[in-house]
Amino acid sequence: MRKRINHRGAVGKSVLKTPKVAPKRATETTTVGDEAFSRNDEGLMCERVPLSVIARETGTPAYVYSAGAIRDQYAHLRDAMKSVDARLHYSVKANSSMAILSLLRELGAGLDIVSGGELYRALKAGYTGRDIVFSGVGKTEREMEDALRAQVLLVNVESEQELHVLDAVAKRLGVKAPVALRVNPEVLVDTPHPYTRTGEKGMKFGIPFDEALSVAKASATLPNIDLIGLDMHVGSQISQFAPYEVGLQRLLHLRREIERETKARLEWLDIGGGLAVTYDAERSVDVRHFGEVVKALVSGSGLKIILEPGRYLVGNAGVLLTRVLYRKRSGGKEFIITDAGMTDLLRPSHYNAFHRIDAVKPTGRTTVADVVGPICETGDFLALDRQIDDAQPGDLLAVQSTGAYGFVMSSNYNSRPRAPEVLVDADRFAVITRRESYDDLVRNEIETPEWRSR
Ligand code: LLP
């Protein structure tokens, strides 16, 4: 059964716990751009719940999210886009927990999905097909079929071959597929790591810009395709608006060409996700300005705009709570060994990503250390050469800004059960994903092979 969410997006009372410690006033904000995490004499707090209380109740490692921070980010972006005919379709891949999806549904969000699994989650969380756009460079026929049966708003098609397969699937089902062509806007983007760029020339994503018109013409010949939109996604963790501006101009130009040369009438323009959050001391993106940039370009076009924010809505709303297991020195270097590692948070080792790490209750001393996990990989670290609290075994650390692409990218490598996820709302908290058990690790495995002959 779905967990009910009240009008403020709070998870139903039955699954919530009130911390035993009385909430105290926050005195100091610890993360730039994120007031949800603050510090008082009980240490680091998420809203009005001490992180130490959550660690005591759920153990570590554990992801902790602030419902209030998600609501605030949604409201900022909603507000910034209010003078544009725009819809916010949360990008499920950033954090796909059912309670987070429900919270965002209550706020009025639609979704951007990239797989049959995300479609399953979306429908289970109470979204309807009209709330969903389906993106992705390698959709299978089964996924297309499921999406068409669910009557999604748009299928964002990324190649001419995909268009033909979708046409055949739609024919089988006796429906017309609502299509937006995902075009590679071929803009230069500055992201912290090359792996999070998508809208540059020569990447696997989208239809190459100079082929888009001919793919649009091809779609006009396919009886089960209804071309009604264009789509782009320039990349992720983007704090400048130039790539959006250039990309949007290109797509608007392309729209005019397509409408001139085919019978298609394009009503949707999906401009993707990518808005940055703060990981260190950066300035937060000025979404109001972003709204003005978009408005200046699209006003009068009659287009309905779709945004696919993932990280912006949830990134700064989460921390990964971890406990220090050991300290050691090796080769003149200090190591802080924590119970969370790359299996819990892959971003530092995969993208060399920076996440601030704060002591929940600081010792008052600092050191310079590598913060490393228990995994048998040299690349298993949360931070390198970091000036950090001189945390000792048993102390709690909070790895900041891990609400997006944290839990969702975790794995069972080294047979490590995945961490739980906890949602905080004001002075209450609830486990929204249970910690995996050892049984969960082997649940789908068949120890004695059931051989079949060919
Ligand atoms: N739309 C499309 C088509 C996308 O590919 C993505 C992200 C988004 C929307 C949402 O982007 P956001 O607003 O979250 O930046 N694992 C990486 C990020 C990969 C992003 C993939 N696509 C990381 O941890 O930084």
Side-chain angles (χ1 to χ4, degrees):
M1 210 184 81
R2 232 189 314 135
K3 285 183 187 117
R4 290 311 307 164
I5 299 264
N6 68 26
H7 68 284
R8 291 189 55 238
V11 180
K13 219 175 183 135
S14 59
V15 291
L16 289 164
K17 282 185 158 193
T18 304
K20 294 181 186 76
V21 191
K24 299 214 172 124
R25 266 184 69 79
T27 51
E28 177 203 334
T29 298
T30 57
T31 301
V32 182
D34 182 7
E35 292 77 32
F37 295 92
S38 59
R39 191 178 286 291
N40 65 18
D41 54 12
E42 289 179 276
L44 204 52
M45 312 280 289
C46 178
E47 304 198 23
R48 300 210 299 274
V49 182
L51 289 175
S52 57
V53 169
I54 295 178
R56 191 184 67 211
E57 297 284 325
T58 67
T60 53
Y63 276 95
V64 182
Y65 310 125
S66 154
I70 297 173
R71 286 189 207 107
D72 285 353
Q73 289 296 92
Y74 187 86
H76 286 152
L77 194 54
R78 179 70 282 157
D79 224 44
M81 302 305 297
K82 67 172 182 287
S83 55
V84 180
D85 185 4
R87 301 166 53 136
L88 305 186
H89 283 245
Y90 169 65
S91 194
V92 174
K93 65 176 84 64
N95 184 325
S96 54
S97 298
M98 295 296 292
I100 303 287
L101 297 185
S102 294
L103 190 159
L104 284 157
R105 179 176 52 72
E106 290 287 313
L107 297 176
L111 298 180
D112 156 51
I113 61 161
V114 289
S115 70
E118 288 189 351
L119 176 64
Y120 175 83
R121 282 179 182 276
L123 298 176
K124 208 169 155 61
Y127 291 84
T128 67
R130 292 289 297 175
D131 302 322
I132 297 170
V133 296
F134 184 22
S135 312
V137 75
K139 303 175 193 76
T140 64
E141 287 191 38
R142 154 109 197 259
E143 288 174 324
M144 290 176 182
E145 202 174 307
D146 290 348
L148 291 179
R149 279 191 205 285
Q151 299 183 306
V152 296
L153 182 67
L154 286 175
V155 182
N156 291 338
V157 168
E158 302 218 14
S159 69
E160 186 164 348
Q161 286 191 358
E162 184 190 334
L163 197 62
H164 286 278
V165 174
L166 183 63
D167 179 61
V169 172
K171 181 174 182 199
R172 251 190 346 251
L173 298 182
V175 298
K176 268 197 152 201
V179 164
L181 295 182
R182 175 168 175 186
V183 178
N184 184 344
E186 297 178 1
V187 290
L188 285 179
V189 273
D190 184 21
T191 66
H193 194 277
Y195 288 0
T196 52
R197 291 173 203 154
T198 52
E200 287 184 2
K201 201 178 174 83
M203 293 192 151
K204 75 171 178 178
F205 298 101
I207 297 163
F209 192 80
D210 56 5
E211 289 172 26
L213 181 59
S214 85
V215 177
K217 285 181 183 163
S219 79
T221 67
L222 299 173
N224 307 289
I225 296 291
D226 197 7
L227 178 59
I228 53 171
L230 291 175
D231 168 42
M232 70 173 191
H233 173 68
V234 292
S236 201
Q237 184 60 11
I238 296 181
S239 47
Q240 276 156 2
F241 303 145
Y244 290 99
E245 262 183 292
V246 177
L248 248 168
Q249 280 161 346
R250 293 206 164 148
L251 259 60
L252 290 168
H253 175 75
L254 180 64
R255 177 207 188 199
R256 285 193 291 277
E257 281 193 317
I258 292 174
E259 292 200 336
R260 197 174 56 232
E261 307 221 3
T262 72
K263 284 207 206 82
R265 288 295 158 260
L266 306 183
E267 49 177 315
W268 294 99
L269 189 57
D270 182 341
I271 61 175
L275 293 173
V277 298
T278 52
Y279 284 105
D280 194 4
E282 317 95 317
R283 284 240 299 271
S284 6
V285 286
D286 181 355
V287 284
R288 199 171 291 275
H289 184 206
F290 179 74
E292 285 160 9
V293 166
V294 175
K295 184 183 173 195
L297 287 164
V298 303
S299 65
S301 68
L303 283 163
K304 289 179 274 193
I305 305 299
I306 292 175
L307 256 67
E308 300 173 350
R311 190 188 319 257
Y312 180 81
L313 296 180
V314 294
N316 285 138
V319 298
L320 172 61
L321 253 185
T322 178
R323 209 176 274 283
V324 177
L325 294 174
Y326 303 105
R327 288 290 300 266
K328 78 174 173 194
R329 268 185 87 77
S330 175
K333 241 163 75 171
E334 281 292 331
F335 288 90
I336 297 178
I337 301 168
T338 56
D339 63 4
M342 65 189 286
T343 53
D344 307 291
L345 179 66
L346 186 60
R347 301 192 76 255
S349 57
H350 193 53
Y351 307 113
N352 207 15
F354 178 93
H355 287 268
R356 271 184 47 182
I357 303 179
D358 292 322
V360 170
K361 294 187 175 166
T363 59
R365 300 177 309 273
T366 59
T367 184
V368 174
D370 286 4
V371 183
V372 299
I375 322 300
C376 299
E377 294 275 347
T378 304
D380 174 33
F381 59 85
L382 300 175
L384 297 178
D385 262 329
R386 181 71 61 85
Q387 170 113 28
I388 189 173
D389 185 89
D390 191 21
Q392 299 299 315
D395 290 350
L396 286 169
L397 299 175
V399 188
Q400 297 280 0
S401 305
T402 51
Y405 307 110
F407 179 85
V408 284
M409 292 177 76
S410 61
S411 78
N412 290 130
Y413 183 43
N414 280 204
S415 285
R416 286 167 54 83
R418 263 176 299 207
E421 297 182 286
V422 176
L423 187 64
V424 173
D425 193 9
D427 59 359
R428 311 180 295 174
F429 69 99
V431 172
I432 57 169
T433 302
R434 280 188 285 273
R435 186 183 302 286
E436 278 181 338
S437 66
Y438 291 144
D439 265 350
D440 291 331
L441 292 178
V442 295
R443 193 174 303 287
N444 290 322
E445 296 175 27
I446 298 152
E447 191 182 344
T448 312
E450 292 158 9
W451 303 111
R452 305 179 209 187
S453 35
R454 40 181 296 203

